């Protein structure tokens, strides 16, 4: 067939030559439709997140003065924040909280996920729901509930210790307060991380388990050599979420402060410090700068953790 004959080939009814030459004729029209679907989210994201964020960044460059009102001071608020001993102490406290709480939570979440995936656990759906249920409880309610349990006078733990003739631990004291808050957060978020790890386990091809069984690997060997290595991306994701959550700790210490005001002070965590600066001390500009410094610390911590994890996986 010659080139002229090919060019005169008939076109199917209902399809124009122009549409035929464009990969089905769906490019520009379908692209515009996609933008229309994305537009509501982008409008809401810009109005509710980007614009307030930009305004807060601009607001942090000013300082309220008795004479002159808001005065532009550049990065003076950030310089003050990076040398603020109260902010530095709060950052150190939440870093210690991360080192104590997150490993315990991740070990429990990994254990429950492996147990549920092993198919040896009876009533697995009920157990999965029971472990996940604390995540559905609002953090304020969880802090109030555990605050009642920690109570030194009428709390059930104190009453139980009194009945057996033992001294009840001072869960709301300065020595145990950080551990008490860590226990609340662990109770709340173990189920959430367990669900993420369990979902990742369900995506592992069953052929790997069958091959391991043929090679004589038992359940423990399969879990250690196959399941846990394949869970590394999910574990990294959970750890990044935990870095963000730990440094943003606010609800639990804010509620527990009403029970132990002498232990949990205004700068106990960076978020609590920024809140008190803004709504108690009326230092809105400096509070905005502290919030951005906290955001920088979280981004840097998450980046360094992922960088260290990627280097370890490559080696």
């Amino acid at each position: 067939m010659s080139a002229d004959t090919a060019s005169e080939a008939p076109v199917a009814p209902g399809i124009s030559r122009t549409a035929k030459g464009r990969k089905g004729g769906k490019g520009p029209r379908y692209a515009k439709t996609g933008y229309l679907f994305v537009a509501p989210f982008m409008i809401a994201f810009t109005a509710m997140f980007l614009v307030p964020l930009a305004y807060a960044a601009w607001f942090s460059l000013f300082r309220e003065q008795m004479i002159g009102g808001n005065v532009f001071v550049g990065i003076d608020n950030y310089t003050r924040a990076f040398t603020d001993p109260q902010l530095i102490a709060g950052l150190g406290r939440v870093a210690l909280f991360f080192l104590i709480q997150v490993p315990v939570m991740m070990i429990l979440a990994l254990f429950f996920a492996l147990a549920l995936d092993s198919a040896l656990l009876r009533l697995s759906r009920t157990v999965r729901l029971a472990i996940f249920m604390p995540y559905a409880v609002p953090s304020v309610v969880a802090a109030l509930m555990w605050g009642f349990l920690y109570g030194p006078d009428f709390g059930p733990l104190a009453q139980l210790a009194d009945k057996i003739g033992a001294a009840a631990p001072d869960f709301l004291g300065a020595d145990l307060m950080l551990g008490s808050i860590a226990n609340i957060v662990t109770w709340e978020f173990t189920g959430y991380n367990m669900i993420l790890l369990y979902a990742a386990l369900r995506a592992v091809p069953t052929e790997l388990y069958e091959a391991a069984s043929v090679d004589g690997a038992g359940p423990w060997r399969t879990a250690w050599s196959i399941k846990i290595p394949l869970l590394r991306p999910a574990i990294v994701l959970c750890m990044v979420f935990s870095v963000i959550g730990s440094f943003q700790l606010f609800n639990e210490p804010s509620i527990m402060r009403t029970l132990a005001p002498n232990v949990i002070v205004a700068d106990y965590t960076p978020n609590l410090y920024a809140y008190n600066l803004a709504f108690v001390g009326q230092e809105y500009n400096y509070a905005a700068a502290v919030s951005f410094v906290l955001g920088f610390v979280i981004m840097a911590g998450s980046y360094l953790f992922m960088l260290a994890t990627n280097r370890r996986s490559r080696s």
Side-chain angles (χ1 to χ4, degrees):
M1 183 182 292
S2 65
D4 295 338
T5 307
S7 63
E8 296 297 330
V11 180
I15 302 178
S16 66
R17 294 182 181 275
T18 306
K20 185 181 177 183
R22 288 192 320 242
K23 281 191 178 180
K26 299 180 180 179
R29 182 167 62 87
Y30 276 72
K32 293 179 181 179
T33 304
Y35 291 136
L36 289 176
F37 276 108
V38 175
F41 167 77
M42 294 304 301
I43 293 173
F45 180 75
T46 302
M48 301 297 177
F49 182 78
L50 294 181
V51 172
L53 193 67
Y55 175 74
W58 174 252
F59 196 62
S60 67
L61 302 178
F62 291 81
R63 179 184 300 146
E64 182 74 24
Q65 297 182 354
M66 295 184 64
I67 300 177
N70 263 346
V71 178
F72 182 80
V73 294
I75 62 171
D76 285 359
N77 287 326
Y78 291 92
T79 304
R80 175 187 170 189
F82 279 109
T83 57
D84 190 341
Q86 292 177 285
L87 178 60
I88 294 173
L91 288 171
R93 193 173 292 110
V94 292
L96 179 61
F97 173 87
F98 171 81
L99 294 175
I100 295 174
Q101 185 266 333
V102 172
V104 175
M105 179 182 65
M106 291 304 301
I107 290 173
L108 289 174
L110 180 60
F111 172 78
F112 290 135
L114 292 173
L116 290 171
D117 187 66
S118 66
L120 301 176
L121 194 65
R122 294 184 179 181
L123 302 174
S124 60
R125 292 184 179 180
T126 304
V127 174
R128 184 167 68 242
L129 179 61
I131 298 172
F132 181 75
M133 191 176 296
Y135 178 70
V137 178
S139 57
V140 174
V141 177
L144 289 172
M145 181 187 70
W146 279 99
F148 167 72
L149 295 176
Y150 291 150
D153 298 323
F154 303 104
L157 298 178
Q159 293 179 6
L160 178 61
D162 183 64
K163 286 184 178 180
I164 63 176
D170 188 7
F171 293 107
L172 301 179
D175 295 333
L176 297 180
M177 177 58 77
L178 196 64
S180 299
I181 296 176
N183 176 65
I184 300 174
V185 176
T186 301
W187 182 81
E188 289 180 285
F189 290 96
T190 296
Y192 172 78
N193 290 282
M194 180 268 295
I195 289 295
L196 293 180
L197 297 178
Y198 179 70
L201 281 173
R202 302 303 294 176
V204 176
T206 57
E207 292 81 3
L208 295 177
Y209 302 148
E210 295 172 357
S213 178
V214 170
D215 291 339
W220 290 103
R221 183 65 177 176
T222 301
W224 181 259
S225 300
I226 296 179
K227 293 183 178 182
I228 294 179
L230 291 176
L231 279 178
R232 181 172 296 172
I235 293 174
V236 171
L237 178 66
C238 292
M239 292 294 290
V240 171
F241 287 164
S242 298
V243 170
I244 298 172
S246 296
F247 281 88
Q248 288 184 337
L249 190 64
F250 177 78
N251 286 337
E252 291 79 8
S254 178
I255 297 300
M256 300 296 284
R257 189 184 181 193
T258 60
L259 303 175
N262 295 327
V263 176
I264 299 182
V265 292
D267 57 350
Y268 195 78
T269 67
N271 253 349
L272 191 61
Y273 183 45
Y275 174 84
N276 283 285
L277 282 172
F279 298 104
V280 178
Q282 307 298 316
E283 297 186 62
Y284 299 108
N285 306 97
Y286 183 54
V290 167
S291 299
F292 273 96
V293 169
L294 178 59
F296 297 149
V297 171
I298 292 174
M299 286 191 295
S302 301
Y303 174 77
L304 291 176
F305 175 78
M306 295 189 67
L307 183 63
T309 304
N310 291 335
R311 285 185 177 179
R312 177 175 293 183
S313 61
R314 289 174 183 173
S315 62

